[in-house]
Amino acid sequence: MCLDLVQLCKLSTDYLCDGQRGVVQTQRIRCKPITPKLVFMSNPVKDQLWRLVKSLNKSEKRNFKLFATRAGATQKSRFIQLFDLLDKLDDLDDSIVMQRLHLTKGKYSNLKRHLFQQVLASLRLIHIDKEVDIELREQIDFSRILYGKGHYLDALRLLERAKAKAVEHNQDLVHLQIVEFQKLIEARHVTHSRQVRNKMDLLLNESSERCYSVLTTSELFSMNIQIHGRYIESGHSRDEREYNENVAYWNDIQTVRSERTSITNTFHQQINRFQASMWYHYIQLNFEDSLEAAYNAINLFNISRHMTVKDPDLYLRCIYYVGVFAFLNEDLYTLRRYNERLEAFITNTDVNLNENSVSIGTVYLKLNRYNQLFMEGDHAGAYAFSRRIAKGYRHATFRPAEHRWGQFLYKAAAAAFLTARYEQALDHLNEIINTKLGVHRQDLIISTRVLHALCNYELGHYSLVEYHLTNLSRLLRRSQETAEVHRITVAGLRKLIGTPALERAEIFTQLLEDTEALRGNVFERKALIYLDTTQWLRLHTEAGLPQPKPSR
């Protein structure tokens, strides 16, 4: 049976929080694979040197060799030989390495430590032009060397240039560190800078403002984390009491200090305010205001364009949140627009993103691209997209974090379900269910288990449906993410599998009416965005297709 569902495409869930909001005990389901599936295989933990060497690209390896030989080493140096050997090995075996290099265990440990430091030192030279905070700290180090040589004025001049760059790039902590070092030099030594009128007063005022600014930034960052943590611990507001409690909590964690009102808000202060506001409105299920807060955060980057390069990970995250809340508000135009913006930024060669930023951006783009395909109703396109992602995963060109991979598996299952590939959908869902406890969030697990039951029903596996509904019901009773639509879907499936096929039309009709009646509740509407069972119900109530025969 081909299920052409328009809204059930929203099964693909965007779980906004990277943390986990509790652990759900699930029964492990073992089904014989019928077709190739997206298989997650966790990599064994390697030691830090091995991971570092294997993460280097060709340019970084070449730079390390130049750095090592420039320092007087040769190709015969033990640490370079160790580097070459680790680079060539497909798997780490310490006994083989020690045997080939004729090392004792103690010497091997010391050599690894030395090589690790040398590789990091060579990488620092590469990234110093990309990361402004690394460059500024190097300038501070140079100033301390000059200070140690007694060149006080030269140290102050270097610090002044570094301070200007710190202000330009919103490096508040480094700015404060520079000012404090300037104060130390001025306090301990008689310098020509004291001939400047009001020099000390200006320096002290700047120090005071920086202290206030850094403290405010820290407090706002803490507020952002606090409200985020509130969502992790308590979830959404489900009734008036929880709503009022969250209002009181939000008011209690505000950081308003009258003595700082005259100080201009910095970039990071403003963006932490907007992100904290975004999380607060999301907790209160106010998706419109959440989208507005996400817009405000992006607009800060529009004003300070250089920050998109200086803090690309934050910029990517802000774009992603706009896309997510556009999805929750069913705003396809905005979702398309910001997906294009996200892709353009990742592929912009002028930005020169590092591996971590490219990886983060790719995950965000693929998650939002899934949402776009589902909202457009392009189920075949979503399924083809799943196959491309699976190919990248098999060839290790795309390897997201385990909890993110669960989202991709769920979206792949949704795409397979929408194109009537129920066996493949079950394979993906089983992979999520059989993942170790604590990796995936409760709302993902619930949506997975409900979709799992729907797939088995469509395949006619009524005995399996009945068996798993017992465990699913237990899960729904315990979880704070349970919506009424989940409960009535489970109850409806129980009735369906116990009723003759020709008598099920009335059950589908009643179940559809009960589900539609829940749309007035915001929490239920969110659950239906993630798992819209009404389209599945309409298929059976309007199409009049024959029911599947139960399997033996």
Side-chain angles (χ1 to χ4, degrees), residues 108-137:
Y108 177 52
S109 178
N110 291 334
L111 190 61
K112 286 201 302 181
R113 187 181 301 109
H114 177 67
L115 176 58
F116 185 74
Q117 293 174 349
Q118 291 297 311
V119 173
L120 288 178
S122 69
L123 290 174
R124 187 178 187 274
L125 293 176
I126 296 177
H127 292 280
I128 195 169
D129 294 331
K130 303 176 184 178
E131 307 292 342
V132 67
D133 55 333
I134 297 178
E135 179 184 354
L136 291 174
R137 289 190 180 93

Side-chain angles (χ1 to χ4, degrees), residues 2 24 130 400:
C2 178
V24 180
K130 303 176 184 178

Side-chain angles (χ1 to χ4, degrees), residues 56 88 91 200 208 225 260 300 312 329 360-361 376 384 389 391 432 449 457 483-484 494 511:
L56 301 179
K88 293 176 182 178
D91 198 11
M200 296 305 298
S208 178
I225 295 174
R260 303 182 201 169
L300 287 178
N329 284 284
I360 291 173
E376 291 171 346
I389 291 176
K391 182 179 179 180
I432 299 173
R449 296 290 295 276
Y457 176 83
E484 187 61 27
R494 287 189 186 279
L511 190 56

Side-chain angles (χ1 to χ4, degrees), residues 486-500:
H486 299 139
R487 294 190 179 96
I488 66 174
T489 300
V490 169
L493 282 173
R494 287 189 186 279
K495 291 181 182 178
L496 288 170
I497 60 178
T499 303

